Amino acid sequence: MFIPRLMKKERNPLGRLRARAFLPLFPTLILLAACYIVTTTGINEPLEASKSEQQSREELILSAIDACREKLSQSDPAVAPYAFPKTRRRLALLLESRLPDGDAIEIAGLYVASARNDTESFRLEASERIESFLRAADIILKFGTKRTDITVEEEAESLLREALSVHDPLGGQDTNEAIQVILSEAYASVFEKLVHMILKQVNSAGTSLSRSSNDDYLKQILHSSLELCDQVSDLCPNEPIIDEYRGAIIRKLYGTRNVRHKKSEAFVVSNSGMMMTKDTSIPSFGILGPRISAEMASSSTYVPEVVGAADSVYGSYSAAALKSHIAAISQTLGINLVLAQEKFPYGVMPSLDELVVGLDSRGVNERNILSQLWSRLIRHIILAAAAAREASLPAAEDEHFDYGLKILSNIPLFEIIQADVKADMLINAGITQKSRGNIDRAIKLFQDALYVNPGDGHAMVQLASLGSTSAVTATSLSDDYVAGLFDGYSDRFEQELVEELGYRGHEFVTDAVIRHGIINRNKKSYTFVDLGCGTGLAGSLLREKIGQNIDFRLLGVDLSSRMTEHSRARLVGDDNDRKRVYNDVYTMDGNDFLAGLPESSVDAIVSSDVFIYVGDLDDTFRECMRALRTNGILSFTVEMPSKNDDAAEHVRKHGMALLKSGRFGHSRKYVENVANNVGFKMVEWKAKVLRKQGKEDVPGAVVVLKKR
């Protein structure tokens, strides 16, 4: 199935590309705030004198804190709890600079109090009030709350929703575009935080609730998320993130099938086949700006009130791409939004001379923002193209990919777009060509992706699937690729791998631990490690099969944060005696985790379907050897090439190769040689069928090594 690879993982479709224009650089903000307060509250030392005497930053901040507290002492909290909002906000900023020292709850309270003062002559700017609510929510999520009536998450969510209720005192009529940009960006930042919390809640509910009880609950959360998208669209109509998340939420709610459903807003289809909102809003500065209606609406045809889910997803992502397109161009050229829309409809680029002038006239910070905007546009193009394919709109898919590749062919833009985003564009375009049988074209695109982002795991795997010799000889895949692969796969991992493909690797490695007599009746406690624990399949079997007889500590580790969310929540036992499978679960590289364990502290390590993504096993074996006690065992699975895999000969000659499956194959001779070199003794190699791939068996082996 065609799955677009996003900036990093699907859990965060925006990546971290937002240009937070309304948030100043924090250290500078603290110093400016401190200097301002110190020099305007009766302290006689001027700024120059402080510099000449080399007064420390800490002393300056402490002086400013004292001045703020002195001013706040002039009001009675019982009578005017929100008095002096600007002073409260300054004090909060100063105290936050000293965290984790200090009272985080006090800081959050100061931010909230400053934001809640709605007295016209004293209140903060609307964007400052919104930001204060956002900062308070962040602090509560990180440091907790003293409230006992609601959870940390509920309190943070309440503050974020309160931030969205803050309105521009001019009712959005302020014609100053810069002010509108800052205000709208503030709304969008709150929205981003809130939706991340909601989607995290959805994911955790999926792992902690039974399948019979959570469907309605999850649907209710997702439907409320769509309502949130509509609410924030009114506050910041030109922000692409709203459309991006709307598409992600609809996809989660209805899947990728074209299920018919009531749409929350009218979509129109342009003559090119692109779907977008009738009143298409164009962002300024890559963020937001005044609402501008699209001229194309007059020549478009409406989608019926009931539309397919895949159509709606495409409509959302294509709207995000359109807004990002105008944002990047208008900011690069420094032209009016309406003019940018009229001169450069989607797919039309400025001339090379225009781009060169626009880019060369910018300083470092401005070029960084332009890099973010053009990179964001490429990612939205990828999303729109993928959604077009799922909606069976091949012409629209081609239009998006053609535009994305045209952007990358422009040298000035190629140089500022982030390397991994360029690779994503090339890889996804290559996957489309591969699916259509244009193999030579696909190989060229995958090779180009490796050129712009050397070591890109996704490009390497795609080349291996086409039998490329350059990929077969690979010895590793990047951590980012592996983590992203399983982040996107985590929610359906067990259903697809175990129930549909008959995966049994977890059974093989746990049975081997028991079979090789690791349990000694004279030993009272044990420590086991599940290396690459995934959702916790192997750990559950260990608890069920030997946990009744002995006391052991079970540690899990995995690169994928989404996988470790599942394994942390995994329970065993009957309804009256439910226990967590793992004592601790860590999200990190397996070798780094093992290196942090005390030497000779582990009795057994199990690793199911993990080394097939590692490649060269030397470093991993060495870390396992160091961590294991004498006679401790390492039980794991490896994959071997099928007879029709072009990499089979390379495995036979060199012991290892990247297979067409996108996983590494290892020979028995290779595994035994590496094991012997680090001090292990191979005590078992047993051929097994690991799973199905399509209709074919995937050959492999369960291997047991013992520390001598």
Side-chain angles (χ1 to χ4, degrees):
M1 184 175 66
F2 179 77
I3 302 175
R5 193 168 70 108
L6 304 181
M7 183 63 187
K8 203 167 182 188
K9 311 158 183 87
E10 191 173 311
R11 63 184 175 184
N12 183 3
L14 190 66
R16 282 290 172 188
L17 296 181
R18 302 184 50 71
R20 298 183 180 277
F22 78 103
L23 292 178
L25 292 174
F26 197 66
T28 303
L29 175 65
I30 293 301
L31 286 172
L32 289 176
C35 292
Y36 173 80
I37 297 168
V38 168
T39 56
T40 58
T41 53
I43 298 176
N44 295 322
E45 292 293 333
L47 181 59
E48 292 76 10
S50 296
K51 284 184 176 179
S52 65
E53 296 171 5
Q54 298 183 344
Q55 181 180 16
S56 71
R57 176 177 180 273
E58 180 68 11
E59 290 173 341
L60 186 61
I61 291 175
L62 289 174
S63 297
I65 289 173
D66 290 342
C68 286
R69 291 196 186 281
E70 174 65 25
K71 185 163 187 176
L72 291 180
S73 69
Q74 300 172 17
S75 66
D76 183 351
V79 177
Y82 307 142
F84 303 122
K86 294 180 181 180
T87 302
R88 291 181 190 277
R89 176 176 158 82
R90 290 173 188 142
L91 178 56
L93 289 166
L94 292 164
L95 293 173
E96 188 179 359
S97 73
R98 307 182 74 242
L99 286 174
D101 296 331
D103 187 346
I105 303 304
E106 179 195 9
I107 298 169
L110 287 166
Y111 277 130
V112 172
S114 72
R116 284 180 175 162
N117 187 317
D118 200 28
T119 305
E120 185 171 349
S121 57
F122 296 106
R123 66 185 170 200
L124 302 171
E125 297 290 340
S127 61
E128 292 177 322
R129 295 176 64 199
I130 295 167
E131 183 207 349
S132 292
F133 280 123
L134 178 59
R135 284 185 177 274
D138 281 337
I139 290 172
I140 288 170
L141 287 171
K142 185 173 182 180
F143 295 99
T145 177
K146 291 181 179 178
R147 294 183 61 176
T148 58
D149 55 326
I150 59 175
T151 66
V152 166
E153 290 75 16
E154 287 171 339
E155 184 174 1
E157 180 179 343
S158 174
L159 291 174
L160 293 172
R161 291 188 181 276
E162 192 171 352
L164 293 178
S165 69
V166 174
H167 293 293
D168 180 1
L170 296 179
Q173 302 303 310
D174 195 324
T175 57
N176 186 321
E177 185 174 315
I179 292 177
Q180 284 297 306
V181 166
I182 292 172
L183 180 60
S184 299
E185 168 63 8
Y187 285 130
S189 297
V190 171
F191 169 81
E192 180 183 356
K193 170 69 74 174
L194 190 53
V195 171
H196 280 171
M197 290 178 60
I198 291 171
L199 292 179
K200 183 177 181 180
Q201 185 181 6
V202 169
N203 292 330
S204 62
T207 62
S208 62
L209 298 177
S210 67
R211 186 171 294 182
S212 60
S213 66
N214 70 353
D215 283 353
D216 290 341
Y217 174 67
L218 297 182
K219 287 179 180 178
Q220 181 180 357
I221 293 176
L222 292 170
H223 278 297
S224 69
S225 300
L226 288 178
E227 293 174 0
L228 178 65
C229 290
D230 293 338
Q231 175 193 352
V232 181
S233 289
D234 292 336
L235 295 172
C236 42
N238 303 314
E239 174 53 63
I241 186 181
I242 316 300
D243 302 285
E244 183 177 346
Y245 274 113
R246 181 184 281 112
I249 292 166
I250 295 172
R251 205 170 189 269
K252 219 169 195 14
L253 189 57
Y254 296 103
T256 57
R257 296 172 297 126
N258 227 348
V259 179
R260 314 303 284 182
H261 72 103
K262 292 265 186 184
K263 56 188 173 60
S264 60
E265 69 176 65
F267 289 111
V268 298
V269 180
S270 69
N271 294 330
S272 66
M274 286 187 60
M275 190 181 292
M276 55 203 68
T277 57
K278 182 181 179 183
D279 187 13
T280 307
S281 305
I282 308 303
S284 162
F285 198 46
I287 308 164
L288 311 166
R291 182 188 294 269
I292 300 176
S293 59
E295 298 297 331
M296 66 185 71
S298 62
S299 61
S300 304
T301 56
Y302 284 98
V303 176
E305 179 61 26
V306 178
V307 300
D311 296 331
S312 292
V313 172
Y314 173 61
S316 296
Y317 286 147
S318 61
L322 175 64
K323 293 176 183 181
S324 290
H325 158 80
I326 298 299
I329 290 176
S330 61
Q331 178 59 19
T332 302
L333 303 186
I335 61 176
N336 179 276
L337 295 175
V338 176
L339 180 60
Q341 183 184 17
E342 291 175 351
K343 286 189 65 176
F344 305 104
Y346 186 82
V348 176
M349 292 279 294
S351 69
L352 181 61
D353 289 342
E354 288 176 309
L355 288 171
V356 168
V357 171
L359 292 170
D360 287 351
S361 62
R362 305 308 176 96
V364 174
N365 290 338
E366 289 178 314
R367 284 180 67 87
N368 287 339
I369 291 176
L370 292 178
S371 170
Q372 294 170 356
L373 299 181
W374 284 99
S375 297
R376 184 180 68 176
L377 170 57
I378 291 294
R379 290 186 306 98
H380 284 158
I381 288 172
I382 295 170
L383 284 169
R389 178 167 184 170
E390 289 177 344
S392 301
L393 298 170
E397 180 187 5
D398 287 342
E399 180 181 4
H400 288 296
F401 277 135
D402 288 347
Y403 181 38
L405 294 174
K406 182 164 67 172
I407 293 173
L408 296 189
S409 69
N410 188 296
I411 294 176
L413 295 180
F414 181 88
E415 291 176 347
I416 68 168
I417 295 173
Q418 296 160 354
D420 51 354
V421 178
K422 290 184 284 194
D424 288 347
M425 179 73 240
L426 295 162
I427 290 164
N428 281 281
I431 291 172
T432 291
Q433 296 302 317
K434 174 184 170 183
S435 70
R436 296 176 181 177
N438 302 325
I439 304 303
D440 291 342
R441 174 64 174 149
I443 289 175
K444 177 64 167 60
L445 288 165
F446 297 141
Q447 289 173 337
D448 288 346
L450 279 177
Y451 173 77
V452 301
N453 194 32
D456 190 290
H458 202 111
M460 195 75 73
V461 164
Q462 289 296 332
L463 285 169
S465 72
L466 297 174
S468 169
T469 55
S470 61
V472 166
T473 58
T475 59
S476 65
L477 295 171
S478 68
D479 286 354
D480 282 349
Y481 165 72
V482 176
L485 177 68
F486 285 98
D487 276 348
Y489 194 32
S490 60
D491 291 340
R492 63 186 193 279
F493 178 77
E494 292 189 24
Q495 179 182 351
E496 292 190 9
L497 195 64
V498 179
E499 298 176 20
E500 298 176 16
L501 300 179
Y503 171 71
R504 296 184 59 203
H506 57 301
E507 298 176 13
F508 299 150
V509 297
T510 52
D511 287 346
V513 170
I514 299 170
R515 188 166 59 249
H516 285 273
I518 192 67
I519 308 305
N520 183 340
R521 292 187 179 276
N522 296 324
K523 187 175 171 66
K524 293 185 178 180
S525 64
Y526 295 81
T527 297
F528 296 159
V529 170
D530 188 353
L531 190 63
C533 60
T535 59
L537 288 170
S540 292
L541 287 180
L542 284 172
R543 286 289 181 202
E544 292 168 3
K545 292 186 176 184
I546 62 178
Q548 311 251 338
N549 304 319
I550 65 166
D551 175 36
F552 67 90
R553 183 167 176 245
L554 180 57
L555 307 177
V557 60
D558 202 288
L559 273 174
S560 165
S561 60
R562 293 287 294 277
M563 285 291 198
T564 55
E565 285 178 11
H566 287 268
S567 53
R568 282 192 188 96
R570 199 174 189 99
L571 303 172
V572 291
D574 56 37
D575 292 339
N576 297 322
D577 187 26
R578 302 285 280 170
K579 296 180 180 178
R580 293 200 180 277
V581 168
Y582 296 92
N583 296 87
D584 291 293
V585 178
Y586 302 86
T587 305
M588 61 189 299
D589 174 78
N591 287 353
D592 292 341
F593 169 77
L594 292 170
L597 294 176
E599 188 173 351
S600 302
S601 62
V602 177
D603 296 283
I605 300 172
V606 296
S607 194
S608 172
D609 246 24
V610 174
F611 295 168
I612 59 177
Y613 295 100
V614 173
D616 186 347
L617 300 178
D618 185 78
D619 288 344
T620 302
F621 278 10
R622 290 184 187 279
E623 292 298 344
C624 289
M625 183 72 178
R626 192 196 66 82
L628 284 168
R629 295 187 174 102
T630 301
N631 294 321
I633 66 170
L634 169 60
S635 175
F636 59 95
T637 57
V638 294
E639 187 171 327
M640 294 183 289
S642 61
K643 294 180 180 179
N644 61 354
D645 194 323
D646 296 337
E649 182 63 16
H650 196 275
V651 173
R652 188 183 69 80
K653 288 183 177 180
H654 303 282
M656 176 183 63
L658 187 59
L659 309 179
K660 282 188 174 181
S661 64
R663 303 180 293 268
F664 286 100
H666 299 89
S667 70
R668 174 170 182 164
K669 182 178 179 181
Y670 169 84
V671 172
E672 192 163 16
N673 285 343
V674 176
N676 288 335
N677 288 341
V678 302
F680 277 119
K681 178 183 178 182
M682 181 183 288
V683 295
E684 180 177 315
W685 174 286
K686 187 173 289 186
K688 295 284 188 179
V689 173
L690 300 178
R691 71 166 79 74
K692 294 280 187 181
Q693 182 147 338
K695 296 181 179 180
E696 302 294 325
D697 290 340
V698 175
V702 59
V703 187
V704 180
L705 307 180
K706 180 174 283 191
K707 180 175 179 177
R708 293 183 284 203

